[in-house]
Amino acid sequence: QMQLQESGPGLVKPLETLSLTCTVSGGSISSGTYHWGWIRQPPGRGLEWIGSINYRGDTYYNPSLKSRVTTSIDASRNQFSLILRSMTAADTAVYYCGRTNWDSSTGPWDYWGQGSLVTVSS
Amino acid sequence: IQMTQSPSTLSASIGDRVTITCRASQSVSVWVAWYQQKPGRAPNLLIYRASDLQSGVPSRFSGSGSGTEFTLTISSLQPDDFATYYCQQYQYNSYSAFGQGTKVEIK
């Protein structure tokens, strides 16, 4: 059974950069044509797709976040990562990593991590 | 493309037939998924491509629709089904948006 696990800081200062990593177990990040991505959910609110990457390194980002987002993949470690720059209070959210169930960067998402709460505060 | 779900909250009893609607601001063909989310948990994929049931999901869940109007139906509500449900439109390697969610509560 595939499992995904987010790791990273729970607290980020305003204007600093968030770096999160997702470690995949129970399957290879290089197999298949899936995309690996990030979705976030502010407390008490809905879901927002951030961006995705496939094993070839092709990246796709939400246009509203594109200028601040970078995703990368490390197949040797079976990990992929998110960088979100210039964080503000509006970026406070639970950040999920996930896998799409086919060759599309935007979904649908059939495997999810448990989520990592990131708070932006000084 | 925006996705508008209705209702935002739904009160129902065990055994009820429940229907949640999602409308797209423009046609998304059949590229709609539905998720169930319980408090403190990640969303769980129920339906993809508007009507395909994800493996392992009970058959009381079904989806329908195309173009701009989509429906998630629970044929007979069970205790485990009280949760928040989200629709998602996903354009191939382009853009994605989620609906605002529908909370199904015990009546």
Side-chain angles (χ1 to χ4, degrees):
Chain A
Q1 175 75 351
M2 178 168 291
Q3 293 187 319
L4 286 70
Q5 178 69 57
E6 306 89 350
S7 59
L11 182 65
V12 176
K13 289 183 169 56
L15 302 181
E16 290 193 344
T17 295
L18 170 68
S19 180
L20 290 174
T21 295
C22 184
T23 301
V24 179
S25 58
S28 172
I29 204 169
S30 301
S31 67
T33 57
Y34 311 110
H35 287 246
W36 307 89
W38 298 91
I39 304 99
R40 69 180 182 179
Q41 185 172 35
R45 299 183 62 185
L47 299 157
E48 179 181 36
W49 171 64
I50 300 171
S52 306
I53 189 167
N54 63 17
Y55 77 95
R56 297 184 299 269
D58 301 320
T59 56
Y60 303 86
Y61 301 129
N62 186 325
S64 69
L65 297 168
K66 186 175 183 178
S67 64
R68 299 195 290 133
V69 174
T70 301
T71 57
S72 60
I73 195 163
D74 185 343
S76 66
R77 295 187 175 190
N78 231 28
Q79 295 176 334
F80 61 101
S81 299
L82 169 73
I83 290 177
L84 183 60
R85 295 175 288 275
S86 301
M87 295 280 284
T88 71
D91 295 312
T92 293
V94 174
Y95 285 74
Y96 294 102
C97 61
R99 189 198 82 166
T100 65
N101 76 350
W102 71 310
D103 183 25
S104 173
S105 62
T106 51
W109 305 93
D110 62 349
Y111 286 97
W112 295 69
Q114 65 184 28
S116 178
L117 175 62
V118 177
T119 301
V120 181
S121 175
S122 55
Chain B
I1 301 174
Q2 294 185 333
M3 303 297 281
T4 302
Q5 275 184 247
S6 61
S8 55
T9 306
L10 186 159
S11 297
S13 301
I14 301 300
D16 283 353
R17 182 180 182 88
V18 168
T19 299
I20 300 168
T21 298
C22 200
R23 288 187 173 86
S25 57
Q26 63 188 72
S27 178
V28 295
S29 183
V30 294
W31 305 117
V32 166
W34 291 93
Y35 301 83
Q36 177 194 69
Q37 186 178 34
K38 296 182 179 179
R41 303 283 297 275
N44 181 46
L45 178 64
L46 301 174
I47 302 286
Y48 62 97
R49 205 163 51 196
S51 60
D52 290 346
L53 189 69
Q54 173 69 2
S55 176
V57 173
S59 59
R60 64 181 180 273
F61 291 94
S62 64
S64 65
S66 65
T68 61
E69 187 153 335
F70 301 86
T71 299
L72 173 71
T73 299
I74 308 172
S75 60
S76 177
L77 196 66
Q78 299 301 302
D80 192 47
D81 301 339
F82 292 98
T84 299
Y85 294 83
Y86 292 93
C87 62
Q88 180 207 10
Q89 66 88 3
Y90 53 101
Q91 300 298 294
Y92 183 78
N93 286 345
S94 174
Y95 182 70
S96 172
F98 290 86
Q100 77 274 25
T102 295
K103 186 175 183 179
V104 176
E105 299 180 328
I106 300 173
K107 190 172 183 179

